[in-house]
Amino acid sequence: MKKIKLFIILIFISLTTGCWNYRELNDLAIVSAIGIDEENGVYNVSVQIMDPAQQGGNTNSSGSSSESTPIDVYEGQGKTILEAISNVLLKQPGDIFLGHVDVVVISDQLARKGIENFIDFLLRDRESRKIFPMVITKNTKASDIIKLITPLELISGKYINSTLEATKKNNGIISNRLFDEVLMCLFVEGREATISSIELIGSPEKGENLDNPSTSIPSTYFQISGSGVFIDDKLVGYFDLKESMGYTYIRNQSESTVISVPCDNEGNYAGIKLEKSSSKLKTTIKDRKPIGEITFDTKAVISEFNCKMDLLKTENIKKMEKITNKELKKLLDNTMISAQKEFKSDVLGFGEYLYKNNYKEWKKYKKNWNETFSNMEYKIKVSTEIRNVGSIIDSLKNSYEGNPNYGKE
Amino acid sequence: MEKNNNIISAAQIGIIGYFLGNAFFIGMGNISVVSLVKQDAWLAALLAVIIGLLPISILIYIMNYKPDKNILEKNKALFGKILGGLINLILFVYIFFISILIIWSASNYAIIIYLTDTPRIIVILLIVLLVIYAVIKGIETICRTGQILLFITVITIITIATNLWQYSDFYNVKPILKDGIMPMIEGSMLYLSYAFTPLISLLIIPKKTIKDQKKLNKYLIGGFLFSIITMVLVFYVVTSVLTINLVDLYRHPAYYVQKKISITPYFNNVENFFSLHWFLNLFFGVIMSLYFLREYVQYLFKFKNPKHLKVSIIILGLIVAVISNNLFENGTDVFNLIRYHFPYWVAGVLFGILLLICILIFIRKKTEDT
């Protein structure tokens, strides 16, 4: 009896190790970035596969670094994304593993046709983690971005991911939409989606070479260019950097940002760092018409000041607050005008507010909401509170003027 | 085999009640409730805290009647040999079906989340073999296991909720009751049909075997309500983080939302670890169903040799495994069954039987008093 029990326990142990799904690391093609282009109804999927040997700083027998790239890019074509990825297997032996995808890049052309058709695969796939950022390439193919060899981090997927995250955190220009957030925007009533956009500067061919980042200024590089604006699942245009920044302010997604405001009439500027911002968006119905309201409050620090103004005087601080309010209002206004008049797309979520807070009224407007939004009146209230003037208490120019030796040889 | 004299505590029964209350909400009941009431699923579950007092009171009322007998013996005493036998057979068939459904749900969860390439029958057999072992060991082992695993479950749920709270936004669960209160009430009834049905298997435990019988009502109500409150929290957190549109898309939204959990920069990608606690609900759902079936077989055949009972449990378990593997062709069939047929033809009928037993007990007691 004991022998039978021991036999059963051994069978249990062998079955519970999960070996059925076991895959050797060397057999996996770990994908760090996916690029999706489309031509004549056929998807062209570029997968950037990490080469762990090269990434670890492989050296040859002479002791110098080997000359091959730490990434391999393969392309596959198909009527579906799954078919295209399966076709990559015709070119390399690894089992495609999507559990470590750092970024998904979509071409402008494909985004304009609609993204709903191909995101199903990424959503349905069991291995993909669904929290990677999505970006749109402006004026270039997604595959060119995927093939790019970037400085500091040779795996461009990771590099794009880190750049997007850092821009979101320190610059506030983009909101860095993750895949699941894009999905939320696509499905939510009364709000359209935005996706961060990047563009390639330089020649795509040179960007593929390992010596691309070897110079102090890489010959080919990418940069964040703003945000793509959608209606339903189709790209209709782009917010530029300023409009994109206004968008993150209104959507309350900016963490810490910097703006330059004029501080005199001589063309000098002050650098204001917005540290804690909060935005409230509201839609009310007045005379059977929806009216939008944006209330933006921020706590700021003067981080750079190039004017002759005594910052020890309270009225000057108040003056700077007023100027900042005016600049911020202009910024938010430009974003609103662009969303309303240029794209007719409620990416800001005025409709969503109505849907969530006044469902009865929303039902009246939901059919042609984007049209209603494009003609909607709105108010913007901005309130800035300057809390600090940095590590020096007065303007440097002002201090020079007070110095009796100022201007003398 | 266990000795049937004061071996389990009322608290342990309450704990099993907690696990059973959530057994149908892993890829089955959750989809059904969310598809009906959308972002108000958490409110429907919250309302179930109040409405749920009715079925749990009926369960307790039946348990309190003739505490030395299990439900099968009570039915025989109440309805007579033939009708009682028929009702017992109906209960057996339904509990058998419930065990098939829960095993399918457990295997599906494991296949989607952990063991993507493993054949379903292997996953089912792994679960069933463990369940058979627990059922052979008896109710004391089952209850003690539940007691130990409750701590793991509670700590896991608290960790998940506190970590996800930062992503939670009340705005995402709005608009509240956009189509009025009726869909929420309907959703609440639907919720209870999944939450309460597995608890019927607890009737197989005679109250007399519980050492602190007086506390049973309190613990059983507590366990059941705690299971509902847990689901209120789960529905709320998942919807307020993912938004209803994604919750409606995923079969296991509570698993996908856990991908956002990050405990310090060094402890990420922990969704598989944290999702294990759902498995415990399924595990106890299957254990208690099979335990019910075991007691039915014992009641029917009155085995004197414990080995015969063991063999019958193994055979029953394997039959459940094979049927569960082959009955449903795909997840869509199961969803349609759970959403459109289960609440009426399984939960409704079982609740009707309990109500009938309850009324008969009431009449019997009245006549005994007079």
Side-chain angles (χ1 to χ4, degrees):
Chain A
M1 191 61 193
K2 274 188 180 175
K3 279 181 183 173
I4 294 169
K5 277 185 181 175
L6 193 69
F7 179 70
I8 291 170
I9 289 167
L10 283 174
I11 287 179
F12 260 107
I13 290 169
S14 68
L15 285 174
T16 49
T17 52
C19 286
W20 212 290
N21 293 40
Y22 175 70
R23 284 182 288 179
E24 198 62 67
L25 189 63
N26 289 343
D27 297 335
L28 289 179
I30 301 169
V31 177
S32 59
I34 301 173
I36 309 172
D37 295 287
E38 191 246 26
E39 209 173 320
N40 303 324
V42 176
Y43 293 114
N44 180 54
V45 177
S46 321
V47 288
Q48 186 184 85
I49 294 166
M50 289 190 265
D51 184 347
Q54 296 302 330
Q55 208 189 348
N58 200 15
T59 51
N60 57 26
S61 55
S62 63
S64 60
S65 293
S66 64
E67 288 298 311
S68 54
T69 59
I71 51 165
D72 299 319
V73 177
Y74 295 95
E75 292 182 41
Q77 290 77 32
K79 289 275 182 195
T80 59
I81 302 295
L82 183 65
E83 188 191 352
I85 289 183
S86 300
N87 285 338
V88 169
L89 291 170
L90 302 173
K91 298 169 186 172
Q92 60 83 42
D95 193 358
I96 300 287
F97 179 69
L98 300 177
H100 288 290
V101 172
D102 285 307
V103 67
V104 170
V105 185
I106 305 155
S107 73
D108 168 282
Q109 184 202 7
L110 179 58
R112 285 185 191 274
K113 286 187 178 176
I115 61 170
E116 222 167 61
N117 285 342
F118 65 84
I119 54 174
D120 183 273
F121 169 73
L122 295 169
L123 188 63
R124 208 174 285 275
D125 182 68
R126 292 164 180 171
E127 282 174 349
S128 89
R129 287 182 52 77
K130 293 148 184 86
I131 48 172
F132 44 78
M134 281 181 93
V135 288
I136 297 170
T137 56
K138 200 175 168 183
N139 308 328
T140 185
K141 281 183 179 176
S143 60
D144 293 337
I145 297 282
I146 298 296
K147 289 171 195 165
L148 183 70
I149 303 291
T150 49
L152 301 175
E153 171 66 79
L154 294 175
I155 298 168
S156 61
K158 280 188 187 297
Y159 190 71
I160 295 170
N161 189 325
S162 311
T163 311
L164 289 166
E165 192 51 41
T167 309
K168 181 196 172 187
K169 205 173 176 184
N170 305 319
N171 214 324
I173 286 176
I174 53 154
S175 53
N176 189 20
R177 287 247 177 274
L178 301 183
F179 178 66
D180 61 345
E181 290 165 348
V182 171
L183 288 171
M184 287 178 204
C185 294
L186 281 178
F187 295 127
V188 74
E189 273 199 60
R191 178 156 59 96
E192 304 291 356
T194 60
I195 300 179
S196 310
S197 67
I198 58 174
E199 58 187 329
L200 197 71
I201 313 291
S203 148
E205 288 76 26
K206 283 184 181 173
E208 294 172 26
N209 294 329
L210 193 60
D211 58 3
N212 180 48
S214 60
T215 53
S216 58
I217 303 171
S219 57
T220 307
Y221 58 95
F222 77 85
Q223 72 175 31
I224 291 162
S225 60
S227 302
V229 177
F230 283 73
I231 289 182
D232 297 330
D233 70 323
K234 292 179 180 63
L235 178 75
V236 290
Y238 293 93
F239 278 151
D240 62 22
L241 292 176
K242 289 279 176 197
E243 290 164 348
S244 190
M245 187 188 262
Y247 171 80
T248 60
Y249 285 171
I250 297 171
R251 288 295 310 158
N252 218 3
Q253 286 165 346
S254 122
E255 288 177 32
S256 169
T257 59
V258 172
I259 59 160
S260 299
V261 298
C263 48
D264 59 22
N265 297 325
E266 293 163 26
N268 292 314
Y269 281 83
I272 308 286
K273 196 172 179 186
L274 310 184
E275 288 193 329
K276 281 182 184 172
S277 305
S278 79
S279 169
K280 277 179 190 163
L281 187 142
K282 206 174 170 185
T283 315
T284 49
I285 305 291
K286 203 175 180 184
D287 301 328
R288 293 182 181 177
K289 278 183 179 175
I291 293 171
E293 192 180 310
I294 299 163
T295 312
F296 184 74
D297 295 317
T298 183
K299 291 182 173 57
V301 174
I302 296 178
S303 299
E304 186 180 340
F305 199 74
N306 301 318
C307 300
K308 289 174 193 169
M309 192 189 284
D310 188 357
L311 287 178
L312 287 171
K313 287 183 179 170
T314 313
E315 62 263 28
N316 284 342
I317 297 290
K318 293 285 171 204
K319 192 178 165 188
M320 282 311 299
E321 285 179 348
K322 269 188 183 175
I323 297 169
T324 311
N325 283 347
K326 200 178 154 190
E327 284 300 310
L328 281 170
K329 198 174 175 185
K330 203 168 27 173
L331 190 82
L332 304 187
D333 208 28
N334 282 342
T335 305
M336 275 300 292
I337 291 168
S338 185
Q340 278 191 312
K341 305 300 173 195
E342 195 180 342
F343 306 120
K344 292 188 177 180
S345 169
D346 183 8
V347 286
L348 301 158
F350 287 97
E352 187 189 15
Y353 183 91
L354 206 57
Y355 164 68
K356 296 212 181 250
N357 295 289
N358 196 345
Y359 185 66
K360 274 186 185 171
E361 287 294 334
W362 168 249
K363 282 200 276 189
K364 293 177 194 167
Y365 298 102
K366 68 184 275 189
K367 266 193 177 176
N368 298 310
W369 174 251
N370 276 333
E371 196 58 43
T372 312
F373 165 74
S374 67
N375 298 313
M376 186 183 78
E377 286 176 27
Y378 63 88
K379 291 175 203 164
I380 299 174
K381 290 178 193 168
V382 180
S383 164
T384 307
E385 190 186 328
I386 293 176
R387 301 282 293 265
N388 207 333
V389 291
S391 51
I392 52 171
I393 50 174
D394 196 5
S395 142
L396 207 58
K397 282 189 178 173
N398 211 39
S399 298
Y400 273 140
E401 284 217 327
N403 187 340
N405 295 325
Y406 181 68
K408 289 180 185 174
E409 289 212 359
Chain B
M1 297 291 144
E2 88 283 14
K3 293 164 196 167
N4 283 335
N5 48 354
N6 296 340
I7 45 165
I8 48 177
S9 69
Q12 286 173 332
I13 297 292
I15 290 166
I16 299 293
Y18 162 77
F19 283 118
L20 293 178
N22 289 341
F24 259 99
F25 288 96
I26 295 96
M28 295 201 294
N30 60 320
I31 309 174
S32 193
V33 174
V34 166
S35 72
L36 180 73
V37 280
K38 303 291 177 190
Q39 64 267 34
D40 293 332
W42 69 283
L43 284 175
L46 197 64
L47 184 66
V49 174
I50 301 159
I51 303 176
L53 288 172
L54 175 73
I56 198 73
S57 304
I58 290 174
L59 193 88
I60 288 168
Y61 189 70
I62 297 170
M63 275 188 115
N64 285 337
Y65 178 69
K66 293 193 189 280
D68 57 325
K69 289 184 165 62
N70 66 29
I71 184 71
L72 306 170
E73 291 155 344
K74 283 173 196 174
N75 282 342
K76 194 180 168 188
L78 283 167
F79 295 95
K81 201 177 176 184
I82 296 169
L83 196 59
L86 187 68
I87 288 173
N88 287 342
L89 183 67
I90 293 169
L91 283 177
F92 172 81
V93 170
Y94 272 109
I95 300 289
F96 187 82
F97 183 63
I98 286 168
S99 66
I100 289 170
L101 273 174
I102 300 177
I103 286 183
W104 187 89
S105 174
S107 64
N108 203 45
Y109 186 62
I111 289 167
I112 289 177
I113 308 293
Y114 316 109
L115 307 164
T116 47
D117 297 331
T118 310
R120 185 182 292 276
I121 188 67
I122 297 294
V123 178
I124 288 177
L125 280 175
L126 280 172
I127 299 164
V128 167
L129 288 174
L130 198 60
V131 168
I132 288 171
Y133 180 77
V135 173
I136 286 174
K137 284 288 170 187
I139 193 69
E140 188 182 4
T141 307
I142 295 168
C143 287
R144 278 175 188 266
T145 312
Q147 202 170 5
I148 295 162
L149 293 177
L150 181 78
F151 291 106
I152 299 170
T153 306
V154 171
I155 291 166
T156 310
I157 288 173
I158 291 170
T159 315
I160 294 168
T162 47
N163 265 280
L164 288 176
W165 205 255
Q166 57 180 315
Y167 303 104
S168 169
D169 187 353
F170 183 68
Y171 195 65
N172 289 338
V173 296
K174 287 166 100 178
I176 291 169
L177 302 176
K178 65 171 183 164
D179 297 317
I181 202 159
M182 282 317 289
M184 189 184 74
I185 294 171
E186 202 184 329
S188 197
M189 305 294 273
L190 191 67
Y191 176 90
L192 279 173
S193 73
Y194 305 124
F196 177 71
T197 309
L199 263 82
I200 293 170
S201 58
L202 285 177
L203 287 172
I204 204 68
I205 304 167
K207 194 180 174 183
K208 212 177 175 182
T209 56
I210 300 162
K211 55 185 174 190
D212 44 355
Q213 293 168 34
K214 283 181 184 172
K215 293 177 183 170
L216 179 68
N217 301 0
K218 191 173 75 179
Y219 279 115
L220 201 50
I221 291 172
F224 183 55
L225 295 189
F226 183 53
S227 77
I228 301 178
I229 289 163
T230 310
M231 282 313 293
V232 173
L233 188 71
V234 170
F235 277 131
Y236 178 79
V237 171
V238 168
T239 313
S240 64
V241 174
L242 287 181
T243 73
I244 186 58
N245 307 296
L246 288 192
V247 175
D248 214 6
L249 269 177
Y250 287 125
R251 180 176 286 278
H252 302 109
Y255 168 76
Y256 286 102
V257 78
Q258 285 168 192
K259 284 178 185 280
K260 288 184 181 283
I261 294 176
S262 167
I263 305 166
T264 75
Y266 313 103
F267 198 49
N268 296 315
N269 304 358
V270 286
E271 64 271 12
N272 284 350
F273 172 73
F274 279 133
S275 61
L276 272 172
H277 78 97
W278 288 113
F279 221 82
L280 302 178
N281 296 294
L282 294 162
F283 184 61
F284 280 99
V286 186
I287 284 184
M288 281 313 294
S289 303
L290 203 65
Y291 184 75
F292 188 100
L293 304 182
R294 164 201 138 138
E295 291 298 296
Y296 181 83
V297 171
Q298 174 65 24
Y299 161 81
L300 204 65
F301 298 108
K302 297 190 173 51
F303 295 121
K304 283 178 184 159
N305 188 344
K307 274 188 182 174
H308 293 160
L309 183 59
K310 276 185 189 176
V311 172
S312 64
I313 294 167
I314 293 167
I315 292 169
L316 265 172
L318 293 177
I319 291 171
V320 168
V322 172
I323 294 178
S324 186
N325 184 50
N326 296 301
L327 190 63
F328 309 109
E329 285 192 0
N330 52 52
T332 312
D333 287 350
V334 178
F335 171 74
N336 287 328
L337 175 81
I338 288 288
R339 171 71 184 86
Y340 301 106
H341 305 290
F342 183 91
Y344 311 103
W345 300 112
V346 180
V349 171
L350 281 174
F351 184 70
I353 291 173
L354 289 197
L355 208 61
L356 189 70
I357 295 168
C358 191
I359 293 166
L360 218 65
I361 290 171
F362 182 76
I363 296 167
R364 188 63 63 90
K365 273 185 177 175
K366 279 272 175 195
T367 44
E368 277 170 11
D369 287 345
T370 51

